[in-house]
Amino acid sequence: MSLVTAALLGLLGLFLLMFLGMPISLAMFVVGFLGLLAVASPAAAFSVLTGDLWNQFSSYSMSVIPLYILMGEIIFRTGVNENLFRAAARWVGHLRGGLAATVVLASAGFAAICGSNSATAASMGTMALPELRKFKYDQALSTGTVAAGGTLGVIIPPSTVLLVIALQTEQSIRHLFVASVIPGIMLTLLFLGIVLYLCG
């Protein structure tokens, strides 16, 4: 089997597995493993399975990621996100569209604490969406604001995505975190500007 044929079959199999509902990470793992079996050899495929996979999961540096997610869960359970929401509401709640702007500011604050975009979106979504519905905000604006605010967890330090990038490319985590502060603030301000413009 040629490499081009194997690649095309691998892509087809990947999309088929995703279409059937398999998680993307698991689908990529299965296709990659079967591709190595077909193109290289069973020894190479099992070497990757036993060696590289274990090295990734046993990495000391990567152990910080589940701890970030645990920290986000603790913050959610202790009600810190509600305090962030109330503080943000005091700053921008009086403006037209202030509740949607509050979601953006609170999301930025939560992202700066836990570093996870999924935890930020889940936390703000469960708390803010009922409030936005109660005050008759447009559904597209409400869900868009929560989704956009959730993405701030990718860029505002301490971001788990930046951490993975730093570890995989052997860059300085501190330098990446420092470099992302200004873009994170700019993105938050841009989101606020768009929300206030749409509601103005």
Side-chain angles (χ1 to χ4, degrees):
M1 179 187 303
S2 71
L3 291 177
V4 175
T5 307
L8 291 174
L9 285 174
L11 280 174
L12 183 66
L14 180 65
F15 287 120
L16 180 65
L17 289 174
M18 288 191 294
F19 180 75
L20 293 174
M22 182 179 282
I24 295 172
S25 56
L26 187 58
M28 291 176 72
F29 173 76
V30 168
V31 169
F33 178 72
L34 293 177
L36 268 176
L37 273 176
V39 173
S41 66
F46 284 107
S47 171
V48 169
L49 182 67
T50 56
D52 293 354
L53 192 64
W54 170 253
N55 289 338
Q56 289 295 324
F57 279 108
S58 63
S59 167
Y60 174 76
S61 304
M62 291 290 190
S63 65
V64 74
I65 295 173
L67 294 176
Y68 272 176
I69 295 169
L70 175 64
M71 184 168 56
E73 186 66 23
I74 291 169
I75 290 166
F76 175 69
R77 297 293 175 189
T78 54
V80 172
N81 56 341
E82 295 171 12
N83 293 334
L84 279 170
F85 196 79
R86 280 198 293 271
R90 288 175 190 258
W91 287 356
V92 294
H94 60 282
L95 301 172
R96 187 172 175 82
L99 191 57
T102 298
V103 174
V104 173
L105 272 183
S107 296
F110 194 85
I113 296 171
C114 78
S116 169
N117 56 341
S118 55
T120 302
S123 176
M124 289 300 132
T126 54
M127 188 175 55
L129 283 176
E131 292 295 316
L132 290 164
R133 284 196 204 99
K134 188 167 74 176
F135 286 95
K136 304 287 190 261
Y137 274 74
D138 181 68
Q139 186 172 356
L141 176 66
S142 303
T143 53
T145 304
V146 171
T151 62
L152 293 171
V154 174
I155 195 165
I156 294 177
S159 164
T160 54
V161 174
L162 290 176
L163 183 72
V164 171
I165 290 171
L167 293 173
Q168 293 299 322
T169 59
E170 297 182 2
Q171 301 296 317
S172 166
I173 297 172
R174 180 171 58 88
H175 290 164
L176 267 182
F177 279 4
V178 170
S180 67
V181 170
I182 292 175
I185 293 170
M186 287 176 60
L187 193 59
T188 304
L189 292 175
L190 284 171
F191 284 166
L192 282 173
I194 290 168
V195 166
L196 296 175
Y197 172 76
L198 291 174
C199 296

